[in-house]
Amino acid sequence: MAKRDRRFFKDNFPALRNSMYLNTGSEGLIPRETYKQINKLIKRNFKYGGSHPHFYNMVNFNFSKIPHYLKLLGVDPEKQIRVSSVSEGLNFCFNMLSNNNIKKILLLKDEFKTGILASYAFAEKNKAELIWADDLDDYYKRLKTDKPDIAIMSHVDYRDGKDNNIERFYSECKKNNVFFIVDGAQAIGNLFIRFPQEIHADLYVWTTHKWLCSPRGLGFINVSQRIKDSIGPLGYHYFATEVFRPPEIKIIDSMDSMSVHAANFIGEIGFVSSMRFLDKKIGIDNILKINEDNKNYFYKVAEKNSIKVEVSDTNLLSIKVDEPEKVVEAMLRRKILIRSIPDTEYIRVSIHLYNNKKDIDVFFKNLNQILGEK
């Protein structure tokens, strides 16, 4: 295993030479090796053409490695539906359930926009009612009292990094025959690095472009046995070049079938290359340890500076400030990337494996200066 010092990370994540990157929750940094492999693939396409064996041999080689890395992350490749993003995956989940006479959909008022948009789109198209829960306790209560047909929730709250403890809700969903869809975008590589043996959702949508350091373009839906038993043999297979459906399962629109099996070569080779880097150069089991150490130090420095950081179960860390958008802009001028949380008074800092104590010290030094100027 290579020595993982500051030079190592700057060499392998060149973006760190241009800015202090504290925004992995929005988009993870891509390793140098991943860039090289993507560039190599594009050059082969440019030089030989997209149907030439020189191009497809490289595509097929990387495609064949995906199951290995899915297993390394603790998921069964046979239960994964390939999609291009969580947004697409959530819409596809709703389409999968469209033949189940869906009349009510339960979601949190503060759900992330991808879940809200997918719920709205399905509700409008299928004349379903949206039920809005004020908070997690209200959500749990409404699972019983409002009798929804679908419940949707994020595994990790994108605002403050708290674990929504989906196991509790999935148990209640199964009791009440409610389909449970989970947006897991902020969980893999942040809350856990290997999926638990039992994934507490009927349809769990996750992505590779945040905490797994891959480019955009590849996500997955983990399909539970309960869904297969409830809907019937959909015939989805990760390796399938076509999506087969029994006659009784209608296709809502072209997106419903085409998007699932249309290959995204950049997303696939990016995922394989980034996972190879994380496995060989970092060590999969080291990622959460590095992140935990960074988070603990972040809280320590915040306390020393009398700055309150909201309690978090992950490395999404929120701080309440006046005019958060202006704080983000001021940070950017100082080449520090963070983000604000829309419609709140919070900025959010995402610290990942390529960040270190010096980054955290510099962040708080600059935050104090910016707040002092306001």
Side-chain angles (χ1 to χ4, degrees), residues 15-34:
L16 296 174
R17 297 184 180 277
N18 298 313
S19 64
M20 183 184 298
Y21 196 83
L22 301 172
N23 196 23
T24 296
S26 296
E27 194 95 20
L29 292 184
I30 299 172
R32 182 186 296 275
E33 184 57 31
T34 298

Side-chain angles (χ1 to χ4, degrees), residues 13 24 27-31 34 69-70 73 184-185 187-190 192-195 206-215 218 220 270-279 284 287 291 352-354:
F13 294 94
T24 296
E27 194 95 20
L29 292 184
I30 299 172
T34 298
Y69 289 114
L70 289 175
L73 294 172
I188 180 65
N190 186 22
F192 53 78
I193 192 61
R194 286 188 172 88
F195 280 86
W206 57 286
T207 186
T208 64
H209 78 275
K210 294 182 184 289
W211 302 91
L212 295 180
C213 302
S214 300
L218 186 65
F220 298 93
F271 171 63
V272 169
S273 301
S274 294
M275 284 299 301
R276 184 187 300 119
F277 171 82
L278 293 177
D279 186 30
I284 290 295
I287 294 174
N291 284 352
H352 200 22
L353 57 93
Y354 34 67

Side-chain angles (χ1 to χ4, degrees), residues 270-368:
F271 171 63
V272 169
S273 301
S274 294
M275 284 299 301
R276 184 187 300 119
F277 171 82
L278 293 177
D279 186 30
K280 301 298 184 183
K281 301 294 186 180
I282 305 294
I284 290 295
D285 293 317
N286 292 324
I287 294 174
L288 293 189
K289 176 64 168 60
I290 295 169
N291 284 352
E292 186 68 19
D293 289 345
N294 278 334
K295 183 171 78 169
N296 290 339
Y297 187 73
F298 192 92
Y299 277 110
K300 180 180 177 181
V301 178
E303 184 178 7
K304 183 179 178 181
N305 285 274
S306 300
I307 293 176
K308 182 183 178 184
V309 181
E310 298 299 318
V311 175
S312 175
D313 298 306
T314 65
N315 277 39
L316 295 173
L317 303 165
S318 297
I319 299 171
K320 188 175 182 180
V321 297
D322 293 331
E323 300 180 300
E325 290 81 9
K326 290 186 178 180
V327 173
V328 171
E329 291 171 3
M331 283 287 184
L332 184 57
R333 288 194 293 270
R334 296 163 185 244
K335 297 186 177 181
I336 301 172
L337 274 73
I338 60 172
R339 68 160 292 177
S340 60
I341 303 300
D343 303 317
T344 75
E345 296 179 309
Y346 287 89
I347 56 172
R348 191 189 73 187
V349 180
S350 312
I351 46 178
H352 200 22
L353 57 93
Y354 34 67
N355 299 125
N356 55 37
K357 291 180 179 180
K358 184 176 180 180
D359 292 341
I360 295 168
D361 288 334
V362 171
F363 165 75
F364 279 106
K365 178 181 178 180
N366 281 272
L367 181 61
N368 280 323

Side-chain angles (χ1 to χ4, degrees), residues 115-307:
I116 291 176
L117 291 173
S119 301
Y120 260 119
F122 182 86
E124 183 176 345
K125 194 170 189 177
N126 295 274
K127 297 181 172 58
E129 175 189 356
L130 295 180
I131 303 168
W132 299 93
D134 294 326
D135 52 35
L136 293 177
D137 289 336
D138 188 39
Y139 190 100
Y140 187 77
K141 181 182 73 174
R142 287 177 180 273
L143 280 174
K144 303 176 184 179
T145 60
D146 289 49
K147 298 183 176 7
D149 302 295
I150 293 176
I152 182 171
M153 172 184 287
S154 292
H155 194 160
V156 173
D157 192 315
Y158 77 100
R159 298 165 302 170
D160 56 19
K162 288 182 180 175
D163 179 0
N164 281 336
N165 295 310
I166 60 174
E167 181 177 0
R168 171 193 180 200
F169 299 100
Y170 189 42
S171 177
E172 198 62 33
C173 283
K174 288 189 287 187
K175 289 179 186 176
N176 293 280
N177 199 30
V178 178
F179 293 114
F180 192 38
I181 301 173
V182 172
D183 175 349
Q186 296 290 0
I188 180 65
N190 186 22
L191 181 65
F192 53 78
I193 192 61
R194 286 188 172 88
F195 280 86
Q197 188 170 6
E198 180 182 356
I199 298 175
H200 301 289
D202 291 308
L203 296 164
Y204 190 101
V205 190
W206 57 286
T207 186
T208 64
H209 78 275
K210 294 182 184 289
W211 302 91
L212 295 180
C213 302
S214 300
R216 285 180 180 265
L218 186 65
F220 298 93
I221 306 171
N222 185 85
V223 182
S224 71
Q225 190 61 47
R226 180 170 177 252
I227 285 287
K228 293 181 178 180
D229 294 341
S230 299
I231 299 182
L234 293 177
Y236 296 118
H237 191 285
Y238 177 74
F239 297 105
T241 55
E242 299 290 342
V243 175
F244 298 98
R245 290 170 178 263
E248 65 271 17
I249 304 297
K250 65 178 181 178
I251 294 179
I252 301 302
D253 52 43
S254 61
M255 183 203 78
D256 192 27
S257 61
M258 291 299 292
S259 63
V260 176
H261 65 272
N264 185 316
F265 301 141
I266 301 300
E268 290 174 359
I269 196 170
F271 171 63
V272 169
S273 301
S274 294
M275 284 299 301
R276 184 187 300 119
F277 171 82
L278 293 177
D279 186 30
K280 301 298 184 183
K281 301 294 186 180
I282 305 294
I284 290 295
D285 293 317
N286 292 324
I287 294 174
L288 293 189
K289 176 64 168 60
I290 295 169
N291 284 352
E292 186 68 19
D293 289 345
N294 278 334
K295 183 171 78 169
N296 290 339
Y297 187 73
F298 192 92
Y299 277 110
K300 180 180 177 181
V301 178
E303 184 178 7
K304 183 179 178 181
N305 285 274
S306 300
I307 293 176

Side-chain angles (χ1 to χ4, degrees), residues 80-95:
Q80 308 306 305
I81 298 175
R82 182 184 59 198
V83 290
S84 66
S85 66
V86 166
S87 299
E88 182 188 55
L90 291 174
N91 280 286
F92 187 76
C93 288
F94 277 104
N95 284 335

